[in-house]
Each structure stands twice: as C-alpha cells, then as structure tokens.
C-alpha cells in the first residue's frame, strides 16, 4: 500500500492525574516524569512521577469505519505486540486490514501519544468514514467532563456557525475526577 493510502491519527493524553492501585504490568514506557503501563490490549495506566498520581484505564479501545467495514479493537486480539525505544505497538488483522496502534512516550513528554495506522487494506483505495481513536473506560471516578466545540475562526465563522457546520467534530475532552484532579485527552490529525 502506498504512503498516500496510509492513515494515521495521533492522540495525546495530557494528564493531571490521580492515585491508582499498584499492579504488575508486562509492558512499560517510562521517562523522568511519566510512566505508562500496558497489557495485551493496550494502555492500562499513566502515572505522574512528581505527584505520584495516575489515570487508570479499565479499557482502551478504538474503531475505524473504512468503506463498508467497521474495524474494532474491542473483541479482537492483536497478532503482535512489540516494545522498543519509547514505543509499544500492537498490530491487528481484521477483515483483510492490517492496523497498527503505536503508543509513544518521548524523553521530555508528560503525555502518552497514540497513533493508529492502516498498514494494509484489501483494495488499493480506501475511504475512511468514521474514526473513534479512543473508546475508554476509566477506573477513576469522573465527577464531570467538558468537551469544547470545534471553532474555525480562520474560515471566518463564529462559534455558533462552527458548531452548526461541524457537528461531532470535537477533538478533545477535559475530565474532572472526584478527588479534584483531572485529565485532558485530545486528538491531533497529522494530515
């Protein structure tokens, strides 16, 4: 598949986080400020070294609607899990597609990046109709959340016009946990 048909979307979890139970994890990414732990399905926790607080995930899933096919990590087992220098990657074979999900933690980052790529497709051309880059279930008690609406002032639109013309085009969420800490998840599309 040529690079023009490759698809990637990144997610950065920028975190101000809360306490978690200690548990042994098979995979870990760590720098001076942040530790991310993983199991066979994906991200399980992100911990801040300075505050000793974390966000604990019960589920980290994704889905893509490509052409007429819905691809989901939930219920699928990765065919490979690889860890190397600042990255953990999962590869899935689903309905003739090969999907790679890579988590990154750079030396000076205080967040974990998640990138989803379509490495192979059954046809030479694909159309991606819907992306759910994260479908998370947190173990942390969430007391409130806020999803800021998309706003495109560069197109000369007001906030209201942006909301009307870009429904369901929100690319982040702020979470407030019951202990007063919180987390922010945001999507960055490199294209």
């Amino acid at each position: 598949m040529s690079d023009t048909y490759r698809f990637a979307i990144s997610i950065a979890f920028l975190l101000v986080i809360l306490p978690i139970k200690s548990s042994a994890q098979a995979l870990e990414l760590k720098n001076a400020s942040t530790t991310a732990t993983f199991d066979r399905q994906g991200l399980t926790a992100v911990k801040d070294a300075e505050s000793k607080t974390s966000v604990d995930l019960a589920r980290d899933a994704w889905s893509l609607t490509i052409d007429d096919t819905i691809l989901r990590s939930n219920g699928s087992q990765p065919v490979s899990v690889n860890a190397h220098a600042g990255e953990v990657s999962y590869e899935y074979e689903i309905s003739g597609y090969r999907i790679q999900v890579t988590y990154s933690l750079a030396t000076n980052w205080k967040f974990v990046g998640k990138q989803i790529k379509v490495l192979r497709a059954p046809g030479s051309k694909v159309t991606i109709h819907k992306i759910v880059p994260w479908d998370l279930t947190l173990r942390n008690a969430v007391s409130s959340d806020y999803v800021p609406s998309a706003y495109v002032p560069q197109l000369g639109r007001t906030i209201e016009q942006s909301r009307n013309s870009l429904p369901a085009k929100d690319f982040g969420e702020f979470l407030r946990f019951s202990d007063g800490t919180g987390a922010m998840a945001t999507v960055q599309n490199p294209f």
Side-chain angles (χ1 to χ4, degrees), residues 58-154:
R59 181 182 64 165
D60 170 25
W62 55 267
S63 68
L64 300 171
T65 303
I66 302 176
D67 300 322
D68 294 324
T69 306
I70 299 173
L71 309 174
R72 290 187 175 95
S73 64
N74 212 16
S76 301
Q77 292 295 319
V79 293
S80 70
V81 179
N82 300 299
H84 47 76
E87 291 185 349
V88 173
S89 348
Y90 298 81
E91 289 195 15
Y92 297 85
E93 290 282 347
I94 306 170
S95 302
Y97 294 87
R98 186 154 186 111
I99 308 298
Q100 180 184 59
V101 179
T102 303
Y103 298 85
S104 324
L105 179 62
T107 304
N108 58 348
W109 287 2
K110 290 190 173 196
F111 62 90
V112 176
K114 178 180 181 182
Q115 184 179 63
I116 301 171
K117 292 182 183 178
V118 177
L119 299 177
R120 185 182 68 238
S124 62
K125 187 175 181 182
V126 297
T127 302
I128 298 174
H129 297 281
K130 184 177 180 182
I131 304 161
V132 179
W134 73 80
D135 181 1
L136 303 175
T137 302
L138 300 179
R139 295 186 194 280
N140 308 74
V142 177
S143 60
S144 66
D145 69 323
Y146 173 70
V147 178
S149 293
Y151 176 44
V152 286
Q154 69 273 22

Side-chain angles (χ1 to χ4, degrees), residues 15-70:
L15 301 170
V16 180
I17 33 197
L18 80 140
I20 160 183
K21 308 177 277 238
S22 174
S23 63
Q25 298 294 332
L27 299 171
E28 183 178 90
L29 294 176
K30 188 173 186 174
N31 64 22
S33 64
T34 307
T35 301
T37 55
F38 302 85
D39 65 9
R40 183 84 178 131
Q41 296 297 312
L43 185 65
T44 58
V46 180
K47 185 173 184 178
D48 178 70
E50 185 179 337
S51 66
K52 306 281 190 262
T53 58
S54 70
V55 171
D56 188 13
L57 290 87
R59 181 182 64 165
D60 170 25
W62 55 267
S63 68
L64 300 171
T65 303
I66 302 176
D67 300 322
D68 294 324
T69 306
I70 299 173

